[in-house]
């Protein structure tokens, strides 16, 4: 089953929400975005699109893409995780 939540890992340490939002907005309308940065751990994010097809398009386009010197892993997020603000 497809979901509009997208999980993103393999992000550069210096990544910020504005840059990540700009990258993902090229693939659709973003309902919310949460970037998690913890000391001594690689950052990761959850992006929620307003449309399932847009989420799938972002996964197809960005999974394995280079970003800030890193290779991103972009995949379907868990439906039980709420990423709404």
């Amino acid at each position: 089953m497809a979901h509009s939540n997208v999980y993103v890992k393999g992000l550069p340490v210096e990544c910020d929400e504005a840059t990540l939002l700009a990258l993902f907005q090229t693939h659709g309308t973003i309902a919310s975005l949460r970037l998690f940065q913890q000391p001594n751990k690689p950052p990761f994010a959850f992006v929620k699109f307003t449309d399932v097809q847009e989420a799938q398009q972002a996964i197809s386009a960005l999974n394995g893409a280079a970003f800030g010197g890193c290779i991103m892993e972009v995949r379907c997020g868990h439906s039980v995780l709420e990423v709404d603000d």
Side-chain angles (χ1 to χ4, degrees):
M1 182 176 176
H3 299 286
S4 61
N5 292 331
V6 175
Y7 170 71
V8 187
K9 71 177 190 176
L11 297 171
V13 173
E14 63 277 0
C15 182
D16 61 47
E17 286 188 2
T19 303
L20 201 57
L21 182 63
L23 176 67
F24 278 86
Q25 279 181 327
T26 63
H27 299 284
T29 304
I30 306 299
S32 64
L33 182 146
R34 289 208 182 148
L35 176 63
F36 296 86
Q37 295 173 302
Q38 300 174 1
N40 303 316
K41 294 187 179 183
F44 64 95
F46 285 94
V47 181
K48 184 173 183 179
F49 285 84
T50 58
D51 182 80
V52 172
Q53 290 178 335
E54 291 174 345
Q56 291 300 315
Q57 178 184 355
I59 291 168
S60 295
L62 297 174
N63 186 42
F67 177 64
C70 297
I71 302 298
M72 292 187 297
E73 182 178 328
V74 182
R75 61 184 181 192
C76 185
H78 298 286
S79 63
V80 295
L81 180 67
E82 280 297 319
V83 295
D84 290 328
D85 292 326

